[in-house]
């Protein structure tokens, strides 16, 4: 991988390079680019070699890394709401969660909100959706679909059932078809079959190719049983060193809530821990945590290995058939994932490993290959960018903006200097408090406001998750700020919110967050209790 992409420098170079055509110019002369959008579930950037994390030495993703060497890697790509269904809704609509109304896992995207597919149709593209959809509705705006069925859209790892538009005699949701084998292999097979036999080869195509892996519970194909078996997985520094991280909102006063907030690797959490799940008990708590971490990561990375191997199959086909040089290829995850950092599992958090999404793009028309860029982007920006690369424009109803000029070596005009985040599912599933925040290139401010957005809704789907919870998990959690210096403390080890030396930084970020909430229209007018708490905190 080459050194970081300096957009300002590259813009000057591009202006001097008269013989070189711009991306837009090339697209005007060539036939339309195909677009393949590849997304895995919970595949976090620190488990991709090209991102250079502690796991890079394991070489977990050689094929994805090769894609990065031939494209552009985005270092500062962030989720607006780090949970599967909301993130996917943001990507499909180009809108924030509060705008598309998919706040949590309970809401469903409406079929008339499949904007990304609709806009590609307007550009003359054939569209297809294969793999994990997880949006609740039929992907009816696509010309073709075969999507995982069961478990609320999660599907099974082994011998999965799919719902498919191939069954013309059956309507959704009864249009099901079963397959034998592992889902990662099967999803690749279905995509290859569509590319070979079902697409209209006279038209450009937009294909969404989504894997279930490496989602919990990390059921990998049997052929990977020995992968990493005798390898020691590097441990994050913050697995054990968590003294200065967090706040009362995530730890409680004097650590009084450590046993109920944030499911853990160690035996800390009372509801779910990998020490207990993997039945580890050596008599030494620190050793138990280490062994549980090793088991967690090996299962996770075996799922990742299956994805990377299958992508080689897909890439080899594209090259063989002459599609490689006329197809934009995107690789990403639907959000990040905590891999033991701060003794946490799962996602949902605004912490870096969860909020950051891997985002790698190979544009065959771009002259800039093997670069990294630190441009701040959100998943709401994906749709506008893909549409511009296909020759279209961003619809007015989308909140996101296109950063397609990056592929010409130019930073977009008047680009954002901060990204917005909000997690709504207060103390549900992995027991994470509701929070809102802002991320700039240098700092991150998180406000844990600790309240469910609609706690009085009787019989609603969200509250049904709480029926087996202990009462103390349902109550509000403390309101608090966390401030991290991302340049000097990228692992977010020290919360600086109460540090006098950072008082002015805190004040400025509070104002920026307050202003950004107004700009994006997320001001909680319909949730008076939340509005009062958040507005008071941000004064």
């Amino acid at each position: 991988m080459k050194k970081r992409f300096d957009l300002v420098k590259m813009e000057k170079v591009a202006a001097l390079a008269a013989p070189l055509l711009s991306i837009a110019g090339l697209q005007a002369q060539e036939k339309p680019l195909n677009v393949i959008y590849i997304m895995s579930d919970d595949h976090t950037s620190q488990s991709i070699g090209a991102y250079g994390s502690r796991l890079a030495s394991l070489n977990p993703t050689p094929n994805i890394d090769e894609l990065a060497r031939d494209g552009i890697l985005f270092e500062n790509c962030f989720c607006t709401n780090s949970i599967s269904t909301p993130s996917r809704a943001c990507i499909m609509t180009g809108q924030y969660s509060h705008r598309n109304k998919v706040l949590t896992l309970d809401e469903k995207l409406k079929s008339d909100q499949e904007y990304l597919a609709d806009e590609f149709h307007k550009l003359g593209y054939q569209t297809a959706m294969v793999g994990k959809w997880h949006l609740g509705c039929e992907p009816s705006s696509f010309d073709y679909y075969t999507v995982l069925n069961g478990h609320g859209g999660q599907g099974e790892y082994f011998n999965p059932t799919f719902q498919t538009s191939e069954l013309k005699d059956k309507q959704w949701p009864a249009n099901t078809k079963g397959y034998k084998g592992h889902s990662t292999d099967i999803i690749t097979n279905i995509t290859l079959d569509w590319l070979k036999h079902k697409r209209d080869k006279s038209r450009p195509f937009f294909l969404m190719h989504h894997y279930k892996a490496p989602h919990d519970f990390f059921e990998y194909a049997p052929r990977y049983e020995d992968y990493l078996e005798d390898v020691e997985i590097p441990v994050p520094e913050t697995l054990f060193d968590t003294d200065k991280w967090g706040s009362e909102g995530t730890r409680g006063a004097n650590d009084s809530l450590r046993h109920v907030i944030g499911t853990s690797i160690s035996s800390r959490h009372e509801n779910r821990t990998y020490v207990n799940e993997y039945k580890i008990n050596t008599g030494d708590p620190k050793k138990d945590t280490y062994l549980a971490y090793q088991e967690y990561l090996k299962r996770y990375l075996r799922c990742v290995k299956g994805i990377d191997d299958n992508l080689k199959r897909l890439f080899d086909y594209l090259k063989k058939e002459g599609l490689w040089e006329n197809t934009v290829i995107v690789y990403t995850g639907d959000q990040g994932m905590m891999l033991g950092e701060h003794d946490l599992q799962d996602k949902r958090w605004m912490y870096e490993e969860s909020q950051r999404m891997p985002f790698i793009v190979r544009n065959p028309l771009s002259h800039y290959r093997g670069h990294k860029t630190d441009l701040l982007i959100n998943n709401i920006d994906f749709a506008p960018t893909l549409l511009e690369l296909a020759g279209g424009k961003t619809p007015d109803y989308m909140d996101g903006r296109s950063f397609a000029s990056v592929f010409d070596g130019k930073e977009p005009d008047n680009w954002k200097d901060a990204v917005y985040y909000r997690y709504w599912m207060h103390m549900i599933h992995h027991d994470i408090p509701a929070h809102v925040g802002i991320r700039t290139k240098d700092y991150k401010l998180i406000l844990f406001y600790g309240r469910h957005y609609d706690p009085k809704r009787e019989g609603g789907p969200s509250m049904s998750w709480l029926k087996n919870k202990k009462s103390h998990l349902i109550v509000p959690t403390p309101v608090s700020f966390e401030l991290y210096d991302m340049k000097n403390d990228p692992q977010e080890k020290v919360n600086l919110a109460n540090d006098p030396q950072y008082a002015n930084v805190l004040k400025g970020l509070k104002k920026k967050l307050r202003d950004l909430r107004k700009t994006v229209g997320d001001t909680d007018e319909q949730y008076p209790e939340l509005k009062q708490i958040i507005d008071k905190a941000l004064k």
Side-chain angles (χ1 to χ4, degrees):
M1 180 70 64
K2 298 179 183 178
K3 63 184 180 180
R4 179 175 295 144
F5 193 9
D6 185 334
L7 284 168
V8 175
K9 180 179 179 181
M10 295 308 295
E11 187 169 356
K12 293 178 180 178
V13 171
L16 295 173
L20 296 179
L21 294 173
S22 69
I23 299 302
L26 279 169
Q27 287 175 332
Q29 296 182 31
E30 303 288 341
K31 61 183 180 180
L33 289 167
N34 304 308
V35 179
I36 300 180
Y37 176 90
I38 305 167
M39 186 163 72
S40 299
D41 197 297
D42 296 344
H43 193 188
T44 185
S45 59
Q46 67 265 37
S47 65
I48 294 176
Y51 276 88
S53 77
R54 70 180 187 277
L55 302 176
S57 62
L58 302 175
N59 192 29
T61 53
N63 296 296
I64 297 173
D65 297 348
E66 181 61 31
L67 186 71
R69 284 191 290 272
D70 200 26
I72 294 179
L73 180 149
F74 290 78
E75 296 178 305
N76 284 332
C77 176
F78 296 105
C79 203
T80 61
N81 185 352
S82 183
I83 186 68
S84 292
T85 301
S87 176
R88 291 163 190 267
C90 290
I91 292 163
M92 283 302 302
T93 63
Q95 297 175 335
Y96 289 104
S97 298
H98 65 277
R99 286 255 289 131
N100 61 42
K101 305 303 181 184
V102 182
L103 307 180
T104 71
L105 293 178
D106 299 325
E107 292 85 22
K108 298 178 180 180
L109 190 72
K110 297 177 181 178
S111 290
D112 61 3
Q113 290 179 288
E114 295 169 21
Y115 301 143
L116 187 52
D118 293 336
E119 294 298 332
F120 266 99
H121 279 147
K122 293 177 184 178
L123 297 174
Y125 278 69
Q126 185 180 21
T127 60
M129 168 65 220
V130 176
K132 184 172 178 179
W133 174 238
H134 203 202
L135 283 168
C137 62
E138 179 183 10
S140 55
S141 293
F142 290 83
D143 297 308
Y144 170 91
Y145 69 80
T146 297
V147 296
L148 282 165
N149 178 45
H151 291 286
Q154 290 284 358
E156 301 283 355
Y157 265 112
F158 287 98
N159 304 327
T161 299
F162 289 78
Q163 292 159 299
T164 178
S165 60
E166 291 183 23
L167 300 179
K168 305 297 184 183
D169 59 331
K170 294 183 180 180
Q171 294 185 339
W172 178 281
N175 54 341
T176 59
K177 181 179 180 180
Y179 290 80
K180 295 293 185 182
H182 190 271
S183 68
T184 303
D185 300 332
I186 293 167
I187 289 166
T188 307
N189 292 343
I190 294 169
T191 283
L192 288 172
D193 181 63
W194 182 81
L195 287 168
K196 293 175 182 177
H197 305 299
K198 296 183 172 69
R199 69 183 175 94
D200 179 352
K201 296 183 181 180
S202 68
R203 299 169 61 192
F205 64 83
F206 170 61
L207 166 66
M208 301 192 86
H209 173 82
H210 295 183
Y211 290 113
K212 171 183 173 64
H215 189 276
D216 203 3
F217 291 89
F218 320 118
E219 297 176 32
Y220 48 86
R223 64 182 179 273
Y224 297 113
E225 184 65 39
D226 295 331
Y227 176 62
L228 300 174
E229 180 64 24
D230 299 322
V231 175
E232 181 179 19
I233 310 298
V235 176
E237 293 180 35
T238 56
L239 176 60
F240 299 107
D241 180 15
T242 61
D243 288 347
K244 296 180 181 179
W245 156 85
S247 61
E248 285 195 14
T250 53
R251 304 174 68 115
N254 300 315
D255 279 358
S256 58
L257 297 178
R258 287 290 283 153
H259 62 298
V260 297
I261 292 180
T263 53
S264 58
I265 311 302
S266 74
S267 58
R268 167 183 58 78
H269 193 270
E270 68 178 28
N271 182 38
R272 185 184 179 194
T273 81
Y274 280 137
V275 164
N276 294 338
E277 195 164 308
Y278 299 147
K279 297 179 172 57
I280 298 172
N281 185 8
T282 67
D284 180 343
K286 189 169 184 177
K287 184 177 181 180
D288 289 349
T289 301
Y290 170 82
L291 293 174
Y293 168 81
Q294 294 293 317
E295 183 67 19
Y296 171 29
L297 266 291
K298 288 178 181 181
R299 294 187 186 197
Y300 180 91
L301 290 172
R302 287 166 185 160
C303 287
V304 169
K305 175 66 172 172
I307 291 169
D308 195 72
D309 286 350
N310 271 280
L311 287 180
K312 185 178 189 306
R313 294 174 58 208
L314 175 58
F315 296 165
D316 284 350
Y317 172 80
L318 295 172
K319 293 171 184 176
K320 179 183 176 182
E321 295 300 314
L323 293 169
W324 187 252
E325 292 305 326
N326 195 46
T327 302
V328 172
I329 298 175
V330 176
Y331 185 81
T332 186
D334 56 348
Q335 60 263 322
M337 188 78 167
M338 305 302 297
L339 298 182
E341 297 86 3
H342 306 299
D343 188 28
L344 296 171
Q345 52 168 292
D346 200 67
K347 56 267 185 180
R348 296 168 167 81
W349 297 98
M350 197 184 162
Y351 300 128
E352 202 71 353
E353 297 83 5
S354 171
Q355 184 190 14
R356 172 180 278 129
M357 306 170 73
F359 197 75
I360 297 168
V361 184
R362 181 190 183 275
N363 183 339
L365 301 185
S366 177
H367 300 293
Y368 308 111
R369 305 286 182 88
H371 290 287
K372 295 182 178 181
T373 171
D374 63 357
L375 187 74
L376 284 167
I377 61 173
N378 280 121
N379 53 350
I380 59 168
D381 300 319
F382 294 179
T385 302
L386 295 177
L387 291 171
E388 184 171 343
L389 289 175
K393 295 182 179 180
T394 304
D396 291 339
Y397 60 78
M398 289 188 177
D399 298 323
R401 290 183 56 200
S402 170
F403 51 85
S405 61
V406 166
F407 301 99
D408 274 330
K410 302 175 183 178
E411 182 166 336
D413 293 335
N414 302 313
W415 194 250
K416 67 187 82 175
D417 61 359
V419 293
Y420 185 69
Y421 182 90
R422 186 163 186 181
Y423 176 72
W424 300 75
M425 296 178 66
H426 178 64
M427 296 302 287
I428 296 173
H429 294 172
H430 289 266
D431 302 331
I432 297 163
H435 54 287
V436 63
I438 191 170
R439 170 68 155 89
T440 70
K441 285 186 179 180
D442 293 334
Y443 296 102
K444 179 182 294 182
L445 180 67
I446 313 172
L447 169 59
F448 289 93
Y449 59 88
R451 305 292 190 279
H452 190 277
Y453 71 97
D454 193 9
K456 297 179 180 179
R457 183 172 59 172
E458 296 182 2
S462 280
M463 300 311 289
S464 69
W465 290 110
L466 302 177
K467 63 183 179 182
N468 295 321
K469 295 280 191 181
K470 296 181 179 179
S471 60
H472 66 266
L473 293 178
I474 302 174
V475 301
T477 52
V479 177
S480 65
F481 281 104
E482 294 184 17
L483 169 63
Y484 297 100
D485 183 336
M486 302 308 301
K487 292 294 185 183
N488 297 309
D489 181 23
Q491 297 183 61
E492 299 169 313
K493 291 181 179 180
V494 182
N495 176 17
L496 300 167
N498 296 317
D499 187 330
Q501 295 184 29
Y502 283 81
N504 287 335
V505 173
L506 178 65
K507 181 179 179 181
L509 288 172
K510 281 184 178 182
K511 181 181 185 303
K512 186 176 283 288
L513 176 55
R514 186 169 66 243
D515 292 345
L516 191 54
R517 276 170 56 79
K518 293 178 182 178
T519 299
V520 304
D522 187 24
T523 54
D524 290 307
E525 302 301 328
Q526 59 185 317
Y527 309 117
E529 181 187 9
L530 300 189
K531 179 176 174 58
Q532 182 179 12
I533 292 170
I534 296 173
D535 287 353
K536 179 180 179 181
L538 291 177
K539 281 185 177 180

